[in-house]
Structure formats: structure tokens, C-alpha cells
CSV table of all heavy atoms in Angstrom, one decimal:
chain,number,residue,atom,x,y,z
G,50,LYS,N,0.8,-1.2,-0.1
G,50,LYS,CA,0.0,0.0,0.0
G,50,LYS,C,0.8,1.3,0.0
G,50,LYS,O,1.9,1.4,0.5
G,50,LYS,CB,-0.9,0.0,1.2
G,50,LYS,CG,-1.6,-1.4,1.4
G,50,LYS,CD,-2.4,-1.4,2.7
G,50,LYS,CE,-2.9,-2.8,3.0
G,50,LYS,NZ,-1.9,-3.8,3.3
G,51,LEU,N,0.4,2.3,-0.7
G,51,LEU,CA,0.9,3.6,-0.7
G,51,LEU,C,0.6,4.4,0.4
G,51,LEU,O,-0.6,4.8,0.6
G,51,LEU,CB,0.7,4.4,-1.9
G,51,LEU,CG,1.3,5.6,-2.2
G,51,LEU,CD1,2.8,5.6,-2.4
G,51,LEU,CD2,0.7,6.4,-3.4
G,52,PRO,N,1.5,4.9,1.4
G,52,PRO,CA,1.1,5.6,2.6
G,52,PRO,C,1.2,7.2,2.2
G,52,PRO,O,2.1,7.8,2.0
G,52,PRO,CB,2.4,5.4,3.5
G,52,PRO,CG,3.5,5.2,2.6
G,52,PRO,CD,3.0,4.5,1.3
G,53,GLY,N,-0.2,7.7,2.2
G,53,GLY,CA,-0.3,9.2,2.0
G,53,GLY,C,0.4,10.1,2.9
G,53,GLY,O,0.9,11.2,2.7
G,54,TRP,N,0.4,9.5,4.3
G,54,TRP,CA,1.1,10.4,5.3
G,54,TRP,C,2.6,10.6,5.1
G,54,TRP,O,3.1,11.5,5.5
G,54,TRP,CB,0.7,9.8,6.6
G,54,TRP,CG,1.0,8.5,6.8
G,54,TRP,CD1,2.2,7.7,7.1
G,54,TRP,CD2,0.1,7.3,6.6
G,54,TRP,NE1,2.1,6.4,7.2
G,54,TRP,CE2,0.8,6.1,6.7
G,54,TRP,CE3,-1.2,7.2,6.2
G,54,TRP,CZ2,0.2,4.8,6.7
G,54,TRP,CZ3,-1.7,6.0,6.0
G,54,TRP,CH2,-1.1,4.8,6.2
G,55,ALA,N,3.2,9.7,4.4
G,55,ALA,CA,4.5,9.8,4.1
G,55,ALA,C,4.8,10.8,3.1
G,55,ALA,O,5.9,11.4,3.0
G,55,ALA,CB,5.2,8.5,3.7
G,56,ILE,N,3.8,11.1,2.2
G,56,ILE,CA,3.8,12.2,1.2
G,56,ILE,C,3.7,13.5,1.9
G,56,ILE,O,4.4,14.4,1.8
G,56,ILE,CB,2.8,11.8,0.1
G,56,ILE,CG1,3.1,10.6,-0.7
G,56,ILE,CG2,2.8,13.0,-0.7
G,56,ILE,CD1,2.2,10.1,-1.7
G,57,LYS,N,2.6,13.5,2.6
G,57,LYS,CA,2.2,14.6,3.4
G,57,LYS,C,3.2,15.2,4.4
G,57,LYS,O,3.6,16.3,4.5
G,57,LYS,CB,0.8,14.7,4.0
G,57,LYS,CG,0.4,15.8,4.7
G,57,LYS,CD,-1.1,15.7,5.2
G,57,LYS,CE,-1.5,17.1,6.0
G,57,LYS,NZ,-2.9,17.0,6.4
G,58,ASN,N,3.6,14.3,5.3
G,58,ASN,CA,4.4,14.6,6.5
G,58,ASN,C,5.9,14.6,6.2
G,58,ASN,O,6.8,15.4,6.7
G,58,ASN,CB,4.1,13.7,7.6
G,58,ASN,CG,2.7,13.8,8.1
G,58,ASN,OD1,2.2,14.9,7.8
G,58,ASN,ND2,2.2,13.0,8.8
G,59,ASP,N,6.3,13.6,5.4
G,59,ASP,CA,7.8,13.5,5.0
G,59,ASP,C,8.3,14.0,3.7
G,59,ASP,O,9.5,14.0,3.5
G,59,ASP,CB,8.0,11.9,5.1
G,59,ASP,CG,7.7,11.4,6.5
G,59,ASP,OD1,7.7,12.2,7.5
G,59,ASP,OD2,7.5,10.1,6.5
G,60,GLY,N,7.3,14.4,2.9
G,60,GLY,CA,7.7,15.0,1.6
G,60,GLY,C,8.1,14.0,0.7
G,60,GLY,O,8.9,14.4,-0.3
G,61,LYS,N,7.9,12.8,0.9
G,61,LYS,CA,8.3,11.7,-0.1
G,61,LYS,C,7.4,11.8,-1.3
G,61,LYS,O,6.3,12.2,-1.3
G,61,LYS,CB,8.3,10.3,0.5
G,61,LYS,CG,9.4,10.2,1.6
G,61,LYS,CD,9.6,8.9,2.0
G,61,LYS,CE,10.7,8.6,2.9
G,61,LYS,NZ,10.9,7.2,3.2
G,62,THR,N,7.9,11.5,-2.5
G,62,THR,CA,7.1,11.3,-3.6
G,62,THR,C,6.6,10.0,-3.9
G,62,THR,O,7.1,8.9,-3.3
G,62,THR,CB,8.0,11.7,-5.0
G,62,THR,OG1,8.9,10.6,-5.3
G,62,THR,CG2,8.7,13.0,-4.8
G,63,VAL,N,5.6,9.8,-4.8
G,63,VAL,CA,5.1,8.5,-5.2
G,63,VAL,C,6.2,7.6,-5.8
G,63,VAL,O,6.2,6.4,-5.4
G,63,VAL,CB,3.9,8.7,-6.1
G,63,VAL,CG1,3.3,7.4,-6.6
G,63,VAL,CG2,2.7,9.5,-5.6
G,64,ASP,N,6.9,8.3,-6.7
G,64,ASP,CA,8.0,7.3,-7.3
G,64,ASP,C,9.0,6.8,-6.2
G,64,ASP,O,9.3,5.6,-6.3
G,64,ASP,CB,8.6,8.1,-8.4
G,64,ASP,CG,7.8,8.4,-9.6
G,64,ASP,OD1,6.8,7.5,-9.8
G,64,ASP,OD2,8.1,9.3,-10.3
G,65,GLU,N,9.3,7.7,-5.3
G,65,GLU,CA,10.3,7.3,-4.3
G,65,GLU,C,9.7,6.2,-3.4
G,65,GLU,O,10.4,5.2,-3.2
G,65,GLU,CB,10.6,8.5,-3.4
G,65,GLU,CG,11.5,9.6,-4.0
G,65,GLU,CD,11.7,10.7,-3.1
G,65,GLU,OE1,10.8,11.0,-2.2
G,65,GLU,OE2,12.7,11.5,-3.4
G,66,LEU,N,8.5,6.3,-3.0
G,66,LEU,CA,8.0,5.3,-2.1
G,66,LEU,C,7.7,4.0,-2.9
G,66,LEU,O,8.1,2.9,-2.4
G,66,LEU,CB,6.6,5.8,-1.7
G,66,LEU,CG,6.6,6.9,-0.6
G,66,LEU,CD1,5.3,7.7,-0.4
G,66,LEU,CD2,7.2,6.3,0.7
G,67,PHE,N,7.2,4.0,-4.1
G,67,PHE,CA,7.0,2.8,-4.9
G,67,PHE,C,8.3,2.0,-5.2
G,67,PHE,O,8.3,0.9,-5.0
G,67,PHE,CB,6.2,3.3,-6.3
G,67,PHE,CG,5.8,2.1,-7.0
G,67,PHE,CD1,4.6,1.4,-6.7
G,67,PHE,CD2,6.5,1.6,-8.1
G,67,PHE,CE1,4.1,0.4,-7.5
G,67,PHE,CE2,6.1,0.5,-8.8
G,67,PHE,CZ,4.9,-0.1,-8.5
G,68,ASN,N,9.3,2.9,-5.6
G,68,ASN,CA,10.5,2.2,-5.9
G,68,ASN,C,11.1,1.6,-4.7
G,68,ASN,O,11.8,0.5,-4.8
G,68,ASN,CB,11.5,3.1,-6.6
G,68,ASN,CG,11.0,3.6,-8.0
G,68,ASN,OD1,10.4,2.8,-8.7
G,68,ASN,ND2,11.4,4.7,-8.5
G,69,GLU,N,11.0,2.2,-3.6
G,69,GLU,CA,11.5,1.7,-2.4
G,69,GLU,C,10.8,0.5,-1.9
G,69,GLU,O,11.5,-0.7,-1.6
G,69,GLU,CB,11.4,2.7,-1.3
G,69,GLU,CG,11.8,2.3,0.0
G,69,GLU,CD,11.7,3.3,1.2
G,69,GLU,OE1,11.2,4.5,0.9
G,69,GLU,OE2,11.9,2.8,2.4
G,70,GLN,N,9.5,0.4,-2.2
G,70,GLN,CA,8.7,-0.7,-1.9
G,70,GLN,C,9.1,-2.0,-2.7
G,70,GLN,O,9.1,-3.1,-2.3
G,70,GLN,CB,7.2,-0.5,-1.9
G,70,GLN,CG,6.8,0.5,-0.8
G,70,GLN,CD,5.3,0.8,-1.0
G,70,GLN,OE1,5.0,1.6,-1.8
G,70,GLN,NE2,4.4,0.4,-0.1
G,71,LEU,N,9.4,-1.7,-4.1
G,71,LEU,CA,9.7,-2.8,-4.9
G,71,LEU,C,11.1,-3.4,-4.4
G,71,LEU,O,11.2,-4.6,-4.4
G,71,LEU,CB,9.9,-2.2,-6.4
G,71,LEU,CG,8.6,-1.9,-7.3
G,71,LEU,CD1,9.0,-1.2,-8.5
G,71,LEU,CD2,7.9,-3.2,-7.5
G,72,GLU,N,12.0,-2.6,-4.1
G,72,GLU,CA,13.3,-3.0,-3.6
G,72,GLU,C,13.1,-3.7,-2.3
G,72,GLU,O,13.7,-4.8,-2.2
G,72,GLU,CB,14.2,-1.8,-3.5
G,72,GLU,CG,15.5,-2.1,-2.9
G,72,GLU,CD,16.5,-0.9,-2.8
G,72,GLU,OE1,16.1,0.1,-3.3
G,72,GLU,OE2,17.6,-1.1,-2.3
G,73,LYS,N,12.4,-3.3,-1.4
G,73,LYS,CA,12.2,-3.9,-0.1
G,73,LYS,C,11.5,-5.3,-0.2
G,73,LYS,O,11.9,-6.3,0.4
G,73,LYS,CB,11.4,-3.1,0.9
G,73,LYS,CG,12.2,-1.8,1.4
G,73,LYS,CD,11.2,-0.9,2.1
G,73,LYS,CE,10.8,-1.4,3.3
G,73,LYS,NZ,10.0,-0.4,4.1
G,74,CYS,N,10.6,-5.4,-1.1
G,74,CYS,CA,9.8,-6.7,-1.3
G,74,CYS,C,10.6,-7.6,-2.3
G,74,CYS,O,10.2,-8.8,-2.5
G,74,CYS,CB,8.4,-6.4,-1.8
G,74,CYS,SG,7.4,-5.6,-0.7
G,75,ASP,N,11.6,-7.1,-3.0
G,75,ASP,CA,12.5,-7.7,-3.9
G,75,ASP,C,11.6,-8.3,-5.1
G,75,ASP,O,11.7,-9.7,-5.4
G,75,ASP,CB,13.2,-8.9,-3.2
G,75,ASP,CG,14.3,-9.5,-4.0
G,75,ASP,OD1,14.8,-8.8,-5.0
G,75,ASP,OD2,14.7,-10.6,-3.6
G,76,VAL,N,10.8,-7.5,-5.6
G,76,VAL,CA,9.9,-7.9,-6.7
G,76,VAL,C,10.0,-6.9,-7.8
G,76,VAL,O,10.5,-5.7,-7.6
G,76,VAL,CB,8.5,-8.1,-6.3
G,76,VAL,CG1,8.3,-9.3,-5.2
G,76,VAL,CG2,7.9,-6.8,-5.8
G,77,GLU,N,9.6,-7.2,-9.0
G,77,GLU,CA,9.5,-6.5,-10.2
G,77,GLU,C,8.2,-5.8,-10.4
G,77,GLU,O,8.0,-4.8,-11.1
G,77,GLU,CB,10.0,-7.0,-11.4
G,77,GLU,CG,11.4,-7.6,-11.3
G,77,GLU,CD,11.9,-8.2,-12.6
G,77,GLU,OE1,11.1,-8.4,-13.5
G,77,GLU,OE2,13.1,-8.4,-12.7
G,78,TYR,N,7.1,-6.3,-9.8
G,78,TYR,CA,5.7,-5.8,-9.8
G,78,TYR,C,4.9,-6.3,-8.5
G,78,TYR,O,5.3,-7.1,-7.8
G,78,TYR,CB,5.1,-6.4,-11.0
G,78,TYR,CG,4.9,-7.9,-11.0
G,78,TYR,CD1,3.6,-8.5,-10.5
G,78,TYR,CD2,5.7,-8.7,-11.5
G,78,TYR,CE1,3.5,-9.7,-10.5
G,78,TYR,CE2,5.6,-10.1,-11.4
G,78,TYR,CZ,4.3,-10.7,-11.0
G,78,TYR,OH,4.1,-11.9,-10.9
G,79,PHE,N,3.8,-5.5,-8.3
G,79,PHE,CA,3.0,-5.8,-7.3
G,79,PHE,C,1.6,-6.4,-8.0
G,79,PHE,O,1.2,-5.9,-8.9
G,79,PHE,CB,2.6,-4.8,-6.4
G,79,PHE,CG,3.8,-4.2,-5.6
G,79,PHE,CD1,4.3,-3.0,-5.8
G,79,PHE,CD2,4.4,-5.0,-4.6
G,79,PHE,CE1,5.5,-2.6,-5.1
G,79,PHE,CE2,5.4,-4.6,-3.8
G,79,PHE,CZ,5.9,-3.3,-4.1
G,80,ASP,N,1.1,-7.4,-7.4
G,80,ASP,CA,-0.2,-8.0,-7.8
G,80,ASP,C,-1.3,-7.1,-7.5
G,80,ASP,O,-2.2,-6.9,-8.2
G,80,ASP,CB,-0.4,-9.4,-7.2
G,80,ASP,CG,0.6,-10.4,-7.8
G,80,ASP,OD1,0.6,-10.9,-8.8
G,80,ASP,OD2,1.5,-10.5,-6.9
G,81,PHE,N,-1.3,-6.6,-6.2
G,81,PHE,CA,-2.3,-5.6,-5.8
G,81,PHE,C,-1.5,-4.4,-5.1
G,81,PHE,O,-0.6,-4.6,-4.4
G,81,PHE,CB,-3.2,-6.2,-4.7
G,81,PHE,CG,-4.1,-7.4,-5.3
G,81,PHE,CD1,-3.6,-8.7,-5.4
G,81,PHE,CD2,-5.2,-7.1,-5.8
G,81,PHE,CE1,-4.2,-9.7,-5.8
G,81,PHE,CE2,-6.1,-8.1,-6.4
G,81,PHE,CZ,-5.6,-9.4,-6.3
G,82,TYR,N,-1.8,-3.3,-5.5
G,82,TYR,CA,-1.3,-2.0,-4.8
G,82,TYR,C,-2.4,-1.1,-4.6
G,82,TYR,O,-3.2,-0.6,-5.5
G,82,TYR,CB,-0.3,-1.4,-5.9
G,82,TYR,CG,0.6,-0.4,-5.2
G,82,TYR,CD1,1.7,-0.8,-4.5
G,82,TYR,CD2,0.4,1.0,-5.3
G,82,TYR,CE1,2.6,0.1,-3.8
G,82,TYR,CE2,1.3,1.9,-4.7
G,82,TYR,CZ,2.3,1.6,-4.1
G,82,TYR,OH,3.1,2.3,-3.3
G,83,LEU,N,-2.4,-0.7,-3.3
G,83,LEU,CA,-3.6,0.0,-2.7
G,83,LEU,C,-3.1,1.4,-2.3
G,83,LEU,O,-2.2,1.6,-1.6
G,83,LEU,CB,-4.2,-0.7,-1.5
G,83,LEU,CG,-4.6,-2.2,-1.8
G,83,LEU,CD1,-5.1,-2.6,-0.5
G,83,LEU,CD2,-5.5,-2.4,-3.0
G,84,LEU,N,-3.9,2.4,-2.5
G,84,LEU,CA,-3.8,3.7,-1.8
G,84,LEU,C,-4.4,3.5,-0.4
G,84,LEU,O,-5.4,3.0,0.0
G,84,LEU,CB,-4.8,4.7,-2.5
G,84,LEU,CG,-4.5,5.1,-3.9
G,84,LEU,CD1,-5.6,5.9,-4.4
G,84,LEU,CD2,-3.2,5.8,-4.0
G,85,HIS,N,-3.5,3.6,0.6
G,85,HIS,CA,-3.6,3.2,2.0
G,85,HIS,C,-4.4,4.1,2.8
G,85,HIS,O,-4.3,5.2,2.9
G,85,HIS,CB,-2.2,3.1,2.7
G,85,HIS,CG,-2.2,2.1,3.8
G,85,HIS,ND1,-1.1,1.9,4.6
G,85,HIS,CD2,-3.2,1.4,4.4
G,85,HIS,CE1,-1.4,0.9,5.5
G,85,HIS,NE2,-2.8,0.8,5.5
């Protein structure tokens, strides 16, 4: 899931968060990705 509070409070971008999640999960794609 994409955390909106990390965008609002921490100034992170959607791309930064998404790419970080791909790396942490060690995958090339997500089967389900939710606005959290």
C-alpha cells in the first residue's frame, strides 16, 4: 500500500515510495497495490 502520510508529512514522492517498496519486497511488480 502507498502511505499518503509519508507524502504529506515526510515530503516523499510517489515514485520514491513505490521504488523503495519494490526494492524492499524484492519484486519487479505488485499483484495488488492500494492507496492506503
Side-chain angles (χ1 to χ4, degrees):
K50 310 169 190 72
L51 179 67
W54 49 89
I56 296 172
K57 177 173 181 175
N58 296 342
D59 302 332
K61 294 194 174 185
T62 68
V63 174
D64 287 340
E65 285 174 338
L66 290 165
F67 187 83
N68 291 331
E69 181 183 349
Q70 290 175 289
L71 285 176
E72 182 177 352
K73 288 167 68 176
C74 291
D75 196 16
V76 294
E77 296 182 352
Y78 67 89
F79 293 113
D80 299 280
F81 296 87
Y82 195 77
L83 311 181
L84 298 169
H85 198 179

